[in-house]
Amino acid sequence: MLLLSTTGTFHLILRPRETTGNMIKTLQNHHFFTIFLFIILSSSGCMQQPLPIYYYTLNSTAGAERAEANPLPPVFLGPIQLTSFLDQGQIITRNSSNSINIEEQLRWAGDLKQMISDAMLSNIEHRLGTHSVYEFTGTDNPSGLQIIINFLHFEKDSDGKAHVMARWRILSGKDGTILYSSTSSHKTVPDSDSTEALTIALSQGLDLLAGDFSDAIISLSSQ
């Protein structure tokens, strides 16, 4: 007979009529119960709830609208390229010049290149004061100007600022001649430490970049 005392200790007490076989069976049952209890407790310790994932978008934050002026040629935006560490789907924060965090819980709610393109199309259109701004599809034969962009930075830097940096070129749609080439770098300060504030600041950086494009296009069109 196996009894559990109030102290939690197992005691084996044999009655006069209990055989050796019964005692062995009792011990085996006790051993099985101990193993089963250990497995249950171990499994419960390993089971963890999945971490929540949060998704974010960009938005157009167009600055001052261009006043009416001479007509501008059609503008085609693209292709847009991202340096490899940016094109992961997650939001990136930087620790130092050689160290980054890929935030698994903080992700873009779609293709980042497409979101950048959508925001910048609206920003450029607003800044130029024209509706002749289009996304370059790769099959177009632009009759106006084409903007090609390669993003080098699009993340929170080690100082907590939203860093947008890109190399870009403006090409002639007629023969692909490079009419203008530059590198732009803009840092904006988020209103708070939240990820939403960071995405707003990154959107503002895109608008500042669109301002660089617009100034160059206006300059080229006036020549």
Side-chain angles (χ1 to χ4, degrees):
M1 178 68 66
L2 185 67
L3 297 178
L4 178 65
S5 72
T6 57
T7 62
T9 305
F10 290 100
H11 297 281
L12 186 63
I13 303 175
L14 288 178
R15 291 178 178 176
R17 294 184 179 181
E18 284 186 316
T19 65
T20 303
N22 288 338
M23 180 181 70
I24 294 173
K25 184 177 181 180
T26 301
L27 289 173
Q28 288 175 338
N29 290 338
H30 172 223
H31 183 63
F32 174 78
F33 174 78
T34 304
I35 294 175
F36 180 75
L37 182 61
F38 175 79
I39 292 173
I40 294 298
L41 293 177
S42 298
S43 299
S44 63
C46 295
M47 295 176 62
Q48 297 180 354
Q49 294 297 323
L51 295 175
I53 297 176
Y54 303 92
Y55 294 92
Y56 296 87
T57 62
L58 298 169
N59 61 295
S60 59
T61 57
E65 185 172 4
R66 174 176 174 261
E68 290 293 330
N70 296 329
L72 296 173
V75 176
F76 293 83
L77 179 66
I80 293 174
Q81 298 296 329
L82 301 173
T83 192
S84 59
F85 77 88
L86 296 174
D87 198 13
Q88 304 293 324
Q90 296 95 334
I91 291 176
I92 303 298
T93 59
R94 183 170 289 279
N95 300 318
S96 67
S97 58
N98 296 310
S99 174
I100 63 171
N101 286 333
I102 299 177
E103 305 290 352
E104 290 295 338
Q105 291 180 258
L106 310 176
R107 303 187 183 183
W108 295 111
D111 182 71
L112 180 56
K113 284 189 283 190
Q114 188 61 53
M115 286 195 291
I116 288 175
S117 177
D118 292 341
M120 295 206 71
L121 284 170
S122 179
N123 291 342
I124 296 170
E125 185 176 271
H126 185 87
R127 283 181 172 271
L128 290 178
T130 177
H131 295 292
S132 299
V133 182
Y134 311 97
E135 181 179 6
F136 181 73
T137 63
T139 58
D140 302 306
N141 183 19
S143 58
L145 302 174
Q146 180 184 358
I147 306 173
I148 298 176
I149 317 169
N150 182 17
F151 280 89
L152 306 176
H153 291 283
F154 195 77
E155 77 271 9
K156 180 180 180 180
D157 70 9
S158 56
D159 294 326
K161 297 178 181 178
H163 188 192
V164 175
M165 181 178 179
R167 293 193 185 102
W168 52 279
R169 294 173 290 166
I170 298 178
L171 278 58
S172 169
K174 295 180 180 180
D175 54 14
T177 302
I178 298 176
L179 303 175
Y180 197 98
S181 179
S182 184
T183 298
S184 296
S185 181
H186 297 287
K187 292 189 177 185
T188 54
V189 181
D191 291 337
S192 69
D193 291 333
S194 70
T195 305
E196 184 176 0
L198 173 63
T199 60
I200 293 173
L202 288 170
S203 298
Q204 292 169 346
L206 288 179
D207 182 52
L208 295 174
L209 184 60
D212 295 340
F213 301 162
S214 302
D215 291 343
I217 290 170
I218 292 172
S219 177
L220 290 171
S221 300
S222 63
Q223 295 176 4

